[in-house]
Structures are given as C-alpha cells and as structure tokens.
Amino acid sequence: MKKNIFTIITIAALLIVANMSCNETFRVMDVIFPKTSITLQLGRTVAIPVIVIPHDATDPTLTWSSSNPDVATVDHTGKVTTLSEGETMITATSNDGGFKARCTVKVIDLQEIEMIFVEGGTFTMGCIGAGCHSETVPAHEVTLSSFHISKYQVTQKLWETVMGYNPSSFKGENLPVEQVSWNEAMNFIIRLNEITGKNYSFPTEAQWEFAAKGGNESKGYIYSGSNDLDLVAWYGYNTYGTQPVGTKEPNELGIYDMSGNVYEWVNDWFGNYPYLPQIDPQGPYSGSLKVARGGGWFSVNWACQTTFRVSGSLYQTSDYPGFRLALPPAGL
C-alpha cells in the first residue's frame, strides 16, 4: 500500500513539474544586428538579419523604425526599402524588455553596369599555328553556356563608389582601376553583390577568351575586334599609361578594351591546357597563381592577342592588371 502511495505522489510531482515547464516563459535578453552598417543600392527592398537572444524567447516580436524615412523605410517584418541617397538608422526594439539594436543603412545610386549578352557556343580555345607561346597550347574545343560580360573594364569611379578608396596609379574616374590584386578584386565583387543583390563574378578564362574573340559573331581576328591593334587597343606603342575605357573600337559583340589598357584578372587558377574537348570549364581545381588576359597599356603587340595569357599571385598588385565582370544569363 505504501509503495502505491509513493508512486502516486511521484507521478503527481512529475505532472506538476511538467506543467510548470510548459508554462515557463523565456524573457528576451538582447537584440543584435550581425552587421551594424550596410550599404544598399537605391531602389532595393531587403530584409535585414537580426538576432533575438535567446533564440526561443517566448515573445520575440520586434518594433521597427527608420530615423530618416525619406532615405529608407522599414516595415513590421524588418524589410527595408531604399528611396533616396543618404543614410538612415534602422532600429529594432523588442516588445519584451525594450532591448534595442541599431543598424546604419547607407543608400547609394550605383552607376549602371552595362553588360553584354554572350550567346553560348563552341569555339577553339588557345593558339593555332606557328609562333604560339607554350602557355597557349594545345588548342582545344570548348563549349560554353550563355552568359553576360561587362561592356567595359571596371572603372575607378565604380571601384571608389563601392570600396570608398581609389588605389590606382593613373588617376581618372573613367580610367580602368588598377593596382588591385586578385583578392582585392574579389572583395570588390563580394561587396558589389551585397549592395546590388546580384551575382557578379570574374569571367572564367574560357568565357573571357570566347567573348574577346567575338563569340558566335567572331571574324577570326588576332586581337579583340581587329587585326589592326591600333584600332582597338591602348598598348605600348600608342600610350604611356591607361586611357578612358571605351575610347577605342569595340569587338564584334560591342565589348571594349579586351585587348590592351589593362590586363584582366579572370576566375581560373593558372595551369596547362587540356587536350580533350570541354564543356563550361572552370580551370584547374587548385593552384598558386591566377590567370590574367588581354595585355595592357605597356604591352607589345603579341601580348594583346586574344589567346595570350599570363599569371600572378592572389596578392600581386601593379598598374598592369584590372578586371571586368560576368553574370549568369538570368543575372540582370
């Protein structure tokens, strides 16, 4: 009988504890923005990530406000809509406890990045015939899907708008940016994507060469757009220093400066070409050097050929390399 009484008491106690546990409340202890400042392109609507601590707070609801609603508004879910250039402070306040988190939102009107659609196709990548450099052979068949590539090399104006400084030796807002390593250019792309919500990247080496050769409109020129280098390129025999982008003739696709002005970093690790045909190649899986293409303001003529390639470390900077951007087909 005593055993049954003890069992009943134990069960009753457990039920009381369980009931108390079900009714337990978890108070909000803090509210945090993972990023206390962000930059957004004009005209975007973006949900700003916020963390309520603890994650299982009983009442995690927040009240949102913008200090300057003419620049950006915020709705009850934390979605920010940018309306004009400037800065505003977005505040999230917990209904439980009144904890506040603040994030500065800077709104910029980023210049339009003109992109050229390159229809996919099959081409011969690499050099054919006598006088080919060892890095440019063997010539091999490559098939590419469609993509976009920027009409111009990334300018100093665009770089400075995104990054807040200008590293270039030859100064001018419409000159191509230079003195940027591959890593620094990648940081620019990451930041540009955060600002715009797009998916910009370096072109792959195959994409770069296909576009430089004129894609499916190719006329088989030695340089990008002509066999007369002076028509399409700023290089060692007609300039000392970089020149404004787009001031020479474009190639068959309407793309400028793919020969000369500055070398252009691409996505691939440097390595030997394969012999077999490839589909949408990404280059070697790893390496120590990145590829740059197209020749520059200091180059001799053969270095401006569409097949010529050089390499540099991830951290290498000089007034030789710059870069241009790529986007997937649906990226605009």
Side-chain angles (χ1 to χ4, degrees):
M1 183 67 178
K2 289 182 179 180
K3 184 176 180 181
N4 290 337
I5 292 173
F6 286 139
T7 300
I8 293 169
I9 292 173
T10 301
I11 293 172
L14 289 172
L15 289 172
I16 292 170
V17 170
N19 187 57
M20 290 174 63
S21 177
C22 290
N23 293 328
E24 186 175 359
T25 59
F26 296 93
R27 304 300 302 271
V28 172
M29 303 299 292
D30 204 355
V31 180
I32 299 172
F33 281 118
K35 291 187 175 181
T36 56
S37 65
I38 59 173
T39 301
L40 297 175
Q41 167 74 329
L42 180 65
R44 289 191 66 195
T45 297
V46 180
I48 301 182
V50 65
I51 299 171
V52 176
I53 300 174
H55 68 88
D56 55 351
T58 303
D59 180 12
T61 55
L62 301 170
T63 299
W64 296 81
S65 63
S66 170
S67 66
N68 191 348
D70 290 335
V71 170
T73 59
V74 60
D75 69 11
H76 69 282
T77 67
K79 286 185 178 179
V80 173
T81 299
T82 60
L83 302 174
S84 65
E85 290 188 275
E87 285 190 2
T88 186
M89 182 74 73
I90 301 298
T91 302
T93 305
S94 65
N95 290 350
D96 177 12
F99 292 95
K100 295 180 182 292
R102 294 181 174 87
C103 178
T104 301
V105 174
K106 181 180 180 180
V107 181
I108 61 174
D109 188 4
L110 198 64
Q111 69 180 74
E112 181 183 356
I113 302 173
E114 294 187 65
M115 305 297 289
I116 299 292
F117 176 71
V118 183
E119 184 180 6
T122 299
F123 76 111
T124 299
M125 184 171 179
C127 181
I128 300 173
C132 294
H133 292 263
S134 59
E135 296 88 353
T136 65
V137 294
H140 54 289
E141 182 182 281
V142 171
T143 300
L144 291 175
S145 304
S146 300
F147 61 97
H148 291 92
I149 195 165
S150 57
K151 187 174 185 177
Y152 306 108
Q153 296 164 337
V154 171
T155 64
Q156 293 174 32
K157 180 180 180 181
L158 178 58
W159 176 280
E160 191 165 5
T161 301
V162 172
M163 302 298 283
Y165 69 97
N166 184 357
S168 305
S169 294
F170 304 102
K171 291 292 195 290
E173 66 175 26
N174 204 36
L175 298 179
V177 70
E178 19 88 4
Q179 288 288 0
V180 291
S181 67
W182 191 95
N183 270 353
E184 289 171 316
M186 176 55 76
N187 288 336
F188 166 91
I189 290 171
I190 292 170
R191 186 164 172 77
L192 178 66
N193 288 339
E194 290 175 347
I195 292 170
T196 62
K198 295 186 178 182
N199 190 27
Y200 291 105
S201 66
F202 293 111
T204 66
E205 187 172 16
Q207 287 175 333
W208 189 96
E209 186 168 321
F210 186 53
K213 288 180 171 178
N216 295 325
E217 305 300 320
S218 178
K219 296 179 181 178
Y221 295 131
I222 299 172
Y223 311 110
S224 184
S226 179
N227 288 329
D228 183 347
L229 187 55
D230 282 292
L231 289 178
V232 295
W234 296 109
Y235 70 115
Y237 293 102
N238 62 15
T239 188
Y240 182 80
T242 59
Q243 296 293 330
V245 300
T247 51
K248 288 289 186 178
E249 293 296 317
N251 75 355
E252 298 94 318
L253 295 175
I255 309 170
Y256 291 85
D257 298 306
M258 296 198 82
S259 288
N261 221 358
V262 289
Y263 274 97
E264 300 177 18
W265 291 117
V266 296
N267 191 64
D268 302 37
W269 292 107
F270 185 81
N272 294 328
Y273 279 162
Y275 286 88
L276 298 176
Q278 295 185 300
I279 298 175
D280 290 324
Q282 303 295 308
Y285 290 112
S286 62
S288 58
L289 302 173
K290 287 292 186 177
V291 178
R293 302 294 300 263
W297 60 267
F298 60 92
S299 296
V300 295
N301 54 0
W302 48 260
C304 296
Q305 295 177 12
T306 57
T307 57
F308 188 72
R309 56 203 296 255
V310 295
S311 60
S313 77
L314 293 171
Y315 311 101
Q316 179 178 332
T317 60
S318 72
D319 50 17
Y320 304 157
F323 64 106
R324 72 177 69 229
L325 302 167
L327 270 178
L332 292 179

